[in-house]
Amino acid sequence: MTSIGTGYDLSNSVFSPDGRNFQVEYAVKAVENGGTAVGIKCKDGVVLALEKLVTSKLLKPGANKRIATVDRNIGIVSSGLLPDGRHFVSRARDEASQWRGLYKAPIPTSSLADRMGSYAQAYTLYSSVRPFGVTAIIAGWDSEAELPVDGQVGSGPGVGSGGKKGGSKYGGPHLYMIEPSGLYWGYYGAATGKGRQIAKSELEKLNLSEGNLSLEEGVKEAARIIYVAHDDNKDKEFELELTWISSLNGPTKGRHEEVPKELKEEAERLAKKSLEGDDDDEDEDKMEE
Amino acid sequence: MFRNNYDNDSVTFSPQGRIFQVEYAQEAVKQGSVVVGIVSKTHAVLAAIKRNAEELSSYQKKIIPIDSHYGVALAGLASDARVLSNFMKQQSLASRLTYDRAIPLSEITLRIADRAQTNTQQYGKRPYGVGLLIAGVDAKGPHLFEFQPSGVTQEMVACGIGARSQMARTYLERNLDEFESCSREDLIKHALRALKESLSQDKELTVDNTSVGVGGIGENFTLFEGQDLAEWLETTFENREGQDEDEDAMETES
Amino acid sequence: MNHLPQAWGRPRDDVYGAYDHSHFQTAGPIQHTQSPIVTGTSVIAAKFKDGVVIAADNLASYGSLARFTDVKRLRKFNDQVVVGFGGDVSDMQYLDRLLNSLDVRENYSSSDTPMNAKNLHTYLAKVMYKRRSDFNPLWNHLLIAGLDADEKPFLASADLLGTTFTSPTLATGFGAHLAQPILRRSLPDESSVQNVTKEEAVELVKECMKVLFYRDARSMDKYSIAVISKGGVELREDEKLENQSWAFAERIRGYGTQTV
């Protein structure tokens, strides 16, 4: 059944006779036009990468950062309508800070994904609002060690301040992707935006479920995938934005940060090189033919 | 009455994922007279064309100083700009009062952007019908931000919005590389020239219809109007007119 | 017997006599905190030419009981600010959480300049004054030590009344009486700050901590000390007072078991 002209697609929270919510589907369309965003879960951290299309020469280079930090250990990147993405992030920050107020500890990434999934879903329920025009990738590192409780003054009782038992393994990398419908899944590698199809097939080649990829390799792969997924014909220029979160003893000490300049440049250099390599291969193939 | 079924309000996506009400609001910006902004390493400049309703009426306000370190230039619905600028003034004062700190320009820009976004996601609200250029200096140096009714904000090196602003942007793109190392005076001249580009043939920049706002490192954001502009206008355009005359002369010769 | 609802759950008048309403007063003005409960004692701090030294002991007292002995009363906010807390410990924890959430917010954008000591002092003074104006004070006396926007040493206090004060040397609680005069011997005015090195300032503050331990019964010889300078914050939280000499105590007369 088509959507246009039936009248079932004119308002949010309305089902069509075959059980679809067209306004949510249209919101997904808004996402499909945005720059490619990628998230990769590695064994010792998570990487987020974004293809930021340069829409004007007058934009200040290197400014206008779009991968946002939530609390200290979580990053969110979104594809689609930019202002909706900021609204989404600002809600995520509120959720994280409320969680701290209630539990005196940072919010686990899974709980944040759950709450943000519910939030996005709520915007499909009412005709007085429209769904989010974004698909968001949430990446986080939940602390594997006992963090000091917010407001803690002493070492506290010997059995452990967070109520954690010794010997068991806690924390680790997490990656989720939330769609305009509020639907979310956990991922080893996630991609959204214009180049998502290419990016997804590249991610699949990495065999991420085996959990062998290191964070630094992940950074390089993420950069490469953004370059591969970039469509030279349609969009001329883009800026690469890269952030990462490592374990407590890794380079970011459990925080969500921008990838340092040197590593980013190295990753971009390798990404460009691999593209050139592809071209060469193609040329060779032609020669052989 | 409507062009299609999807443009009645800002809570309806079109089948292509567009929100027409927001796009129409962007059109309101293009109805406003042109404003431009440029930053250098040391200064941020805004320049604007003021319109008057009739010969004897006063000119529309185009540049609003917000705090001592920055100001905004507007294109579009002036009353929407007043709502936003009042909000910006409150937030800026609150920052000075609670933290003894001049509010960072990125921060204040995001705050109005978030307000604007809300208007595009709730029934019964309409998007703001105004575009702003926010320029000034904070702890990190000079900045220029563009604000659009959709809630999109971008930090720019130079920018022009409003009627026929494409001409101004073309001028700015052509001279982009010069801006960073420009002196205060040269930056103002560039802004005025960019402004002139967007003017229709029969119009001139005069002390009455032009507004200039300048902020810099160690210099508070100040609005210049009327006779304060006379010298800038004179020195900026004397060469150009000279050139024109030369060209005319050439033509008659040939 | 009275079966009306307002008499439910009340002692029977015929057995216990008329109910005395002054016992359980529900009406009357709303009351908030009237006194602190678990408390920390003095915080002392002194500027030197490149920064500030601040110290406080690790004790939280419950009245005269030395209840918690590993309490950290110096809180590092970022690489250029340390806040020292005297007074109620639970209010300190509240303020610590407040500062923590402020820090989280400040770090959302890595590009903005970090909050300096002056910014933080202005903020905390506002919080303290707001609470006292609500007749619900946070029972603390804070010292904010660090660097200002020009990377010059900055030291200021804010107390439960919202009073603010700044000086080359500051001390709260007992320290205001016992340590301040000693600190002022080396640092009488702002211009003298230039003549004091970091080592001298640390030595001076340590000496004052010792005097406070000698004379303040709510103090302890385990303490924390922080030095804030351009190089960042050096915070040590498990220091012990060295070279104690209680010889002076022999000469004290007038209380205890002494008869002469």
Side-chain angles (χ1 to χ4, degrees), chain B residues 97-101 139-140, chain C residues 106 111 113 118-119 123 126:
Chain B
L97 196 67
T98 43
Y99 300 108
D100 191 20
R101 175 166 76 165
K140 282 277 172 181
Chain C
E106 281 291 305
S111 57
T113 41
K118 189 159 187 287
N119 297 145
Y123 172 68
K126 248 66 191 190

Side-chain angles (χ1 to χ4, degrees), chain B residues 104-143:
Chain B
L105 262 65
S106 55
E107 174 79 31
I108 189 67
T109 308
L110 282 181
R111 288 195 196 175
I112 56 166
D114 288 350
R115 260 182 76 136
Q117 194 278 340
T118 313
N119 290 345
T120 71
Q121 207 174 6
Q122 282 177 39
Y123 188 81
K125 297 201 174 194
R126 68 161 171 83
Y128 288 113
V130 71
L132 301 176
L133 296 182
I134 300 144
V137 174
D138 61 22
K140 282 277 172 181
H143 296 283

Side-chain angles (χ1 to χ4, degrees), chain C:
Chain C
M1 210 172 113
N2 186 357
H3 293 280
L4 292 170
Q6 59 266 36
W8 294 353
R10 290 261 164 84
R12 282 170 59 175
D13 290 357
D14 52 336
V15 177
Y16 298 99
Y19 185 77
D20 183 352
H21 288 273
S22 70
H23 285 319
F24 184 69
Q25 201 130 32
T26 50
I30 296 168
Q31 292 195 338
H32 297 296
T33 319
Q34 299 294 305
S35 64
I37 300 175
V38 177
T39 57
T41 183
S42 322
V43 185
I44 60 172
K47 283 190 199 175
F48 62 94
K49 63 184 169 71
D50 307 311
V52 192
V53 185
I54 183 169
D57 69 19
N58 295 352
L59 180 68
S61 309
Y62 179 53
S64 58
L65 173 71
R67 180 64 185 81
F68 303 103
T69 55
D70 61 350
V71 170
K72 294 158 176 69
R73 297 198 291 127
L74 298 185
R75 290 301 165 117
K76 178 183 164 182
F77 180 73
N78 58 26
D79 281 339
Q80 43 182 334
V81 199
V82 169
V83 185
F85 294 84
D88 193 273
V89 169
S90 62
D91 284 351
M92 170 181 101
Q93 288 175 303
Y94 168 80
L95 282 167
D96 187 42
R97 274 177 222 129
L98 206 64
L99 291 179
N100 199 242
S101 79
L102 180 66
D103 182 55
V104 167
R105 268 179 284 142
E106 281 291 305
N107 284 304
Y108 286 153
S109 60
S110 50
S111 57
D112 287 335
T113 41
M115 203 167 259
N116 61 47
K118 189 159 187 287
N119 297 145
L120 202 70
H121 174 254
T122 309
Y123 172 68
L124 285 169
K126 248 66 191 190
V127 172
M128 300 304 273
Y129 179 69
K130 166 73 168 65
R131 291 292 295 257
R132 91 95 202 223
S133 300
D134 292 343
F135 287 80
N136 188 195
L138 292 163
W139 219 282
N140 297 104
H141 195 152
L142 318 174
L143 295 189
I144 294 93
L147 304 174
D148 65 13
D150 305 321
E151 296 197 308
K152 294 262 158 36
F154 177 90
L155 175 61
S157 84
D159 68 8
L160 72 168
L161 300 173
T163 315
T164 59
F165 201 78
T166 179
S167 159
T169 63
L170 282 173
T172 76
F174 250 107
H177 304 95
L178 297 174
Q180 191 65 283
I182 304 171
L183 294 165
R184 280 187 189 148
R185 263 187 243 151
S186 304
L187 288 151
D189 50 30
E190 200 61 55
S191 59
S192 58
V193 172
Q194 287 311 318
N195 309 323
V196 178
T197 65
K198 172 184 157 185
E199 288 70 27
E200 288 167 345
V202 169
E203 210 37 58
L204 177 65
V205 166
K206 283 186 175 174
E207 195 54 35
C208 289
M209 288 305 288
K210 194 150 54 177
V211 170
L212 283 170
F213 178 54
Y214 287 150
R215 326 232 63 136
D216 177 1
R218 305 285 165 266
S219 72
M220 195 178 64
D221 56 353
K222 263 167 60 192
Y223 67 100
S224 305
I225 186 164
V227 181
I228 308 100
S229 60
K230 276 183 199 170
V233 173
E234 289 170 57
L235 173 61
R236 277 166 293 156
E237 292 183 316
D238 202 18
E239 297 289 287
K240 173 109 178 141
L241 285 177
E242 287 158 358
N243 306 322
Q244 290 178 36
S245 164
W246 288 86
F248 72 93
E250 303 284 320
R251 288 177 276 112
I252 297 176
R253 291 285 179 272
Y255 61 92
T257 52
Q258 297 148 353
T259 47
V260 188

Side-chain angles (χ1 to χ4, degrees), chain B residues 40 44 47 61-62 74 86 109 115 126 128 153 163 193 206 215 226:
Chain B
S40 70
K61 189 161 60 179
K62 292 290 282 182
L74 62 105
N86 283 343
T109 308
R115 260 182 76 136
R126 68 161 171 83
Y128 288 113
T153 60
R193 285 199 200 107
T206 68

Side-chain angles (χ1 to χ4, degrees), chain B residues 16-237:
Chain B
Q16 290 73 245
R18 294 160 63 178
I19 304 161
F20 284 115
Q21 269 300 306
V22 174
E23 292 181 17
Y24 297 170
Q26 315 261 42
E27 292 300 316
V29 178
K30 293 181 191 162
Q31 306 281 330
S33 64
V34 64
V35 295
V36 302
I38 320 179
V39 277
S40 70
K41 228 184 295 178
T42 52
H43 287 84
V45 171
L46 292 173
I49 295 287
K50 294 183 290 185
R51 281 189 187 139
N52 56 341
E54 50 193 286
E55 192 76 358
L56 295 176
S57 73
S58 66
Y59 286 83
Q60 178 66 263
K61 189 161 60 179
K62 292 290 282 182
I63 298 179
I64 309 171
I66 304 289
D67 199 341
S68 56
H69 66 297
Y70 78 102
V72 299
L74 62 105
L77 301 185
S79 33
D80 283 14
R82 208 166 53 240
V83 169
L84 286 169
S85 64
N86 283 343
F87 174 73
M88 292 166 92
K89 285 174 185 173
Q90 284 172 7
Q91 296 288 310
S92 305
L93 278 175
S95 172
R96 288 201 185 261
L97 196 67
T98 43
Y99 300 108
D100 191 20
R101 175 166 76 165
I103 197 164
L105 262 65
S106 55
E107 174 79 31
I108 189 67
T109 308
L110 282 181
R111 288 195 196 175
I112 56 166
D114 288 350
R115 260 182 76 136
Q117 194 278 340
T118 313
N119 290 345
T120 71
Q121 207 174 6
Q122 282 177 39
Y123 188 81
K125 297 201 174 194
R126 68 161 171 83
Y128 288 113
V130 71
L132 301 176
L133 296 182
I134 300 144
V137 174
D138 61 22
K140 282 277 172 181
H143 296 283
L144 171 69
F145 286 90
E146 181 198 4
F147 160 86
Q148 292 169 219
S150 58
V152 168
T153 60
Q154 291 168 316
E155 181 161 13
M156 316 289 282
V157 176
C159 190
I161 53 172
R164 298 161 57 88
S165 58
Q166 183 54 49
M167 320 278 251
R169 283 200 297 275
T170 309
Y171 173 89
L172 293 171
E173 279 181 28
R174 264 207 316 270
N175 297 281
L176 191 59
D177 300 332
E178 289 178 34
F179 299 149
E180 188 176 313
S181 52
C182 262
S183 70
R184 179 179 183 271
E185 298 305 304
D186 286 346
L187 206 64
I188 293 166
K189 284 181 187 170
H190 273 304
L192 289 172
R193 285 199 200 107
L195 209 57
K196 177 77 163 45
E197 293 286 317
S198 288
L199 233 49
S200 49
Q201 291 294 316
D202 56 330
K203 284 225 179 112
E204 283 286 333
L205 289 182
T206 68
V207 290
D208 294 318
N209 71 3
T210 312
S211 251
V212 171
V214 184
I217 294 171
E219 178 185 351
N220 282 346
F221 185 87
T222 322
L223 177 60
F224 296 93
E225 289 185 315
Q227 284 309 316
D228 291 341
L229 300 173
E231 204 180 314
W232 284 326
L233 289 173
E234 222 164 273
T235 54
T236 308
F237 298 111

